[in-house]
Amino acid sequence: MTAHFGFWDYFIFITYALLILGVGLWVSRDKKGHQKNAEDYFLASKSLPWWAIGASLIAANISAEQFIGMSGSGFASGLAIASYEWMAALTLLIVGKYFLPIFIEKGLYTIPEFVEKRYSTNLKTILAVFWIALYVFVNLTTVLYLGALALETIMGVPMVYGVLGLALFAAAYSLYGGLSAVAWTDVIQVVFLILGGLVTTYLALDTVSGGNGFLAGLTRVYEEVPDRFAMILDKSNPEFKNLPGIAVLVGGMWVANLYYWGFNQYIIQRTLAAKSLKEAQKGILLAAFLKLLIPLIVVIPGIAAYVMINDPEIMASLGDAGLKNLPSLEQADKAYPWLLQFLPTGLKGVAFAALAAAIVSSLASMLNSTSTIFTMDIYKQYINKNADDKSTVGMGRISAGVALLIAALLAPQLGNLDQAFQFIQEYTGIVSPGILAVFMLGLFWKKTTNKAAIIGALSSIPIAMYFKVGPNGWSTSSLFVDVPFMDQMGYTFILTMVVIIIASLIQHHGKNDEKGIDIKKGLFKTSPVFNIGAFVIMIILVLLYSVFWN
């Protein structure tokens, strides 16, 4: 099916595209008499204000995976999937208070650079290569694939052309301008993203209520399917394996969130580019507030779609269009594209621009971070140690272009490799607990040694595979039979930390490591604005979970 775009839809979308390209190229221009250097290209001259950081964090994070995937999860299982967003708000506060002060004090360009300063060049290189491979073969490739899939579903654009169009759009400004272009265009992208998302949510709920508005629609959805508003699922729920009850709050989701928000280059890079630590922390605070809003635009539409297709009266009012591309529990990801076709002319263009903004901003962020890690941690370390600023920036652009080309070639193949795609996603979750353990102990335990960190990182893989593969093939009396994936991550993280602690104590007999980080008095002191904002966010989270517990 196609979205039947009218003149105003095309006008709004083309205006959006020209605005992004224009702003991106304008902020990318070289200032008179100033040659763009590494700090300009990779860290936006360390000049980003808090509101640009907050907007850029959300724009980098939200992609087709949220709009299409989380709406599908909302359709299939309900509001419980929103824990990924609401728990991320709390995670961002922890990152802002306890991680950022150390990263910014050390003047980092990249997360692997921290590994070198705390552990060794060898471990830094191992992790740099891992992250480059992860960004190119998983992140960039899957965002291109999911984005092109959305274009194909909504507008009928063939997959290959969708991949090519998205790749060229992201490359047009991000390769030339670096992080400045990415961050400043993200401010515009996030406006489209949230405005377009809210438009879709409003009209879906208005349809459910028979034209009586947003609140009436939300009330009716809650009354029709109260079970889909349970945040903490019990074991009888089919989705328990993906969202295992109370463990969502106290278990493996912390591993996924702390790894993603604290040690993920394409997320943390915009905070490293802040004017100051206080600006970075205010930006984190803004992102945390926006995270509380995201389920309203990516989960609620899916629940509304579920109510709509199960109401004969609403379906009759939609006519033949309502039967096109109809979502089902087996094909829940069709929920969001299905809703978009009912938007009136003009608003379709806004919603489509929101989806494109989510995809392109994530692509641009991943490209910039891939090139930053390759250039600063591989190229300058091993290929050209004496590279000047011109060579460094040039290599940044070339490496980003190569990464995008590889991802664009691989993306169309994912449609034929569904099981491989799922395996790759789970592979990330197998590796992340070990890396998180290395970072957490490196930050906050002086006795952690380089050798112990390497042992821990390597041993985390077989530990993770034990929980994933081993118990499921054993007798039902086994302690860890059929462990939910989120719990697997939690167990792997804890056991990896135990391995690192034991290895460190054996190696140094309880003495501090020479590269251990001194936590100075006052390092984690935050401003009244951050403290008050953090308190408000925690109160809101308590209220949300109290209302929607089960």
Side-chain angles (χ1 to χ4, degrees), residues 94-132:
I94 293 169
V95 170
K97 184 170 179 67
Y98 295 109
F99 296 179
L100 272 190
I102 298 173
F103 291 162
I104 289 178
E105 185 189 50
K106 290 189 172 294
L108 301 182
Y109 276 80
T110 69
I111 290 297
E113 190 182 350
F114 168 79
V115 177
E116 181 175 43
K117 290 185 175 183
R118 176 59 182 87
Y119 292 115
S120 67
T121 301
N122 288 339
L123 185 56
K124 179 197 82 166
T125 304
I126 291 167
L127 292 182
V129 170
F130 161 74
W131 269 309
I132 291 169

Side-chain angles (χ1 to χ4, degrees), residues 33-47:
H34 177 69
Q35 169 73 45
K36 193 176 266 120
N37 58 37
E39 187 174 281
D40 296 330
Y41 188 80
F42 297 114
L43 290 183
S45 309
K46 290 198 173 182
S47 63

